[in-house]
Amino acid sequence: MVPFDTVQHDVLMSRVSRKVHDKRLLKLIGHYLRAGIMVEGVVQPTEAGAPQGGPLSPILSNILLDDLDKELERRGLKFVRYADDFLVFVKSSRSAERVFGSVQRYLERTLKLVVNQRKSCVRVAEGCEFLGFMFVRGQRATIKVTPKKLSAFKRRIKELTGRSRGISMKQRLTELRRYLRGWIGYFALARQVEDFLNLDGWIRRRLRMCYWKQWRYARTKVAKLRELGVNLDLAIKHAISRKSYWRMSRTPAMRYAMPNIWLEEQGLLSLAQLWYERAPLRGIA
């Protein structure tokens, strides 16, 4: 990994000027790089680096590291890069050590960058993480979502389906749809549909819990369960139960009242279904 806050402005501008010949635009980019940053209310000058999070920084990082891409292509190496994160793939540990050293020298001597030693290493591809994905070996090598990203996904779902949120189910489902579409849109390349199916079941259970909490009063619970086809005796038994919301969300009556297709009709999306719809992205007919 290359920390882009160490890039030398003159090295960067020399590469920008290869394609950009408008002096006014070059001057504007220079002002952007030297604008400074705000630290505890005090403006600090920026003698090196590009503002992190700025709209122009990703473009500038690609302009600078385009030289690295061409150098790796010239050497015939297989690699993948996103902004300042990249992986280079070789066949042996000996080759990896050699390539690691030569690439580090190129970055430091030619591009005047500082390599983050803490995040840079030589290792086998299996289990290696990159942009939220990890390489997994099985009958065939594939990629999956990292456990860290799956944990973050579940935390966000818990926030959206928190039973103490004072919002309508319509709004909750709208927020949930937006998040699920965006998440699977990014991780559609992962091949772990079994995990997505399990997550679908867990999300459905959390929504049943939310409905149960929103109904609140015993008479409301009885009325709602009756509307959804549950017989009166079972509806009353559930309505007066002292079991937790989470336990009640898994009872046969709740599943009968709110089956998967009913939740879909309310607006719930399926991660697995969204994943299947993006099959062409993975080269699946």
Side-chain angles (χ1 to χ4, degrees):
M1 172 183 255
V2 179
F4 205 61
D5 55 354
T6 62
V7 62
Q8 300 299 311
H9 291 167
D10 57 340
V11 176
L12 175 59
M13 291 305 298
S14 69
R15 282 156 177 78
V16 173
S17 62
R18 292 175 183 172
K19 297 293 184 180
V20 178
H21 305 295
D22 188 325
K23 293 184 178 180
R24 292 175 300 174
L25 180 55
L26 291 172
K27 185 177 181 180
L28 181 62
I29 295 173
H31 285 319
Y32 169 81
L33 293 172
R34 296 187 295 273
I37 57 175
M38 186 76 73
V39 180
E40 297 181 354
V42 179
V43 177
Q44 302 271 348
T46 49
E47 298 178 357
Q52 296 299 300
L56 191 58
S57 296
I59 299 174
L60 295 176
S61 69
N62 280 327
I63 290 174
L64 179 63
L65 293 176
D66 183 61
D67 281 8
L68 173 65
D69 296 344
K70 288 183 169 55
E71 177 65 17
L72 295 177
E73 290 172 354
R74 185 186 65 80
R75 299 183 189 183
L77 294 169
K78 297 184 182 298
F79 68 97
V80 58
R81 180 179 69 81
Y82 182 84
D84 57 352
D85 287 340
F86 63 94
L87 300 175
V88 182
F89 302 94
V90 293
K91 294 183 178 180
S92 67
S93 58
R94 184 176 179 181
S95 297
E97 293 288 353
R98 175 176 52 80
V99 170
F100 182 87
S102 63
V103 170
Q104 181 174 338
R105 287 192 296 273
Y106 180 83
L107 290 169
E108 294 177 341
R109 296 177 183 178
T110 304
L111 300 184
K112 308 300 180 183
L113 293 169
V114 178
V115 176
N116 189 327
Q117 296 295 339
R118 185 173 61 85
K119 296 185 178 180
S120 303
C121 64
V122 173
R123 58 167 300 171
V124 295
E126 185 177 6
C128 185
E129 299 182 6
F130 185 68
L131 302 178
F133 293 94
M134 63 185 297
F135 297 94
V136 180
R137 183 185 300 174
Q139 292 184 346
R140 54 176 295 183
T142 186
I143 58 174
K144 291 188 174 183
V145 183
T146 64
K148 185 190 304 182
K149 291 298 182 181
L150 286 175
S151 295
F153 171 82
K154 295 188 75 172
R155 283 197 302 272
R156 181 57 179 155
I157 294 297
K158 285 182 178 180
E159 292 174 2
L160 294 173
T161 58
R163 62 175 185 264
S164 60
R165 295 184 70 203
I167 62 173
S168 67
M169 288 303 298
K170 182 178 180 180
Q171 182 180 346
R172 192 189 303 270
L173 284 163
T174 298
E175 293 178 2
L176 194 57
R177 283 197 303 273
R178 187 181 301 122
Y179 180 68
L180 292 177
R181 283 190 185 279
W183 193 86
I184 205 65
Y186 181 87
F187 288 109
L189 292 176
R191 294 176 180 268
Q192 54 193 121
V193 67
E194 297 85 0
D195 291 331
F196 297 153
L197 287 169
N198 290 334
L199 286 171
D200 278 338
W202 176 71
I203 292 170
R204 287 192 293 265
R205 186 178 174 187
R206 288 198 62 84
L207 281 178
R208 292 186 182 108
M209 177 189 69
C210 291
Y211 276 108
W212 191 247
K213 172 66 186 295
Q214 280 205 342
W215 293 345
R216 192 171 181 180
Y217 300 109
R219 70 178 68 180
T220 305
K221 292 175 180 177
V222 172
K224 291 293 185 181
L225 288 174
R226 293 287 290 139
E227 286 177 13
L228 295 171
V230 178
N231 67 63
L232 180 59
D233 289 342
L234 192 56
I236 294 173
K237 182 180 178 180
H238 276 66
I240 64 176
S241 174
R242 293 183 176 274
K243 292 180 181 179
S244 68
Y245 297 109
W246 182 241
R247 290 187 64 184
M248 290 301 297
S249 67
R250 199 178 183 183
T251 60
M254 290 292 284
R255 293 190 194 179
Y256 178 82
M258 290 178 274
N260 298 353
I261 190 169
W262 184 86
L263 291 172
E264 289 176 12
E265 290 170 353
Q266 307 312 303
L268 177 63
L269 296 178
S270 163
L271 272 179
Q273 183 59 39
L274 291 171
W275 184 84
Y276 279 119
E277 290 173 0
R278 286 159 176 75
L281 294 175
R282 300 182 296 277
I284 302 174

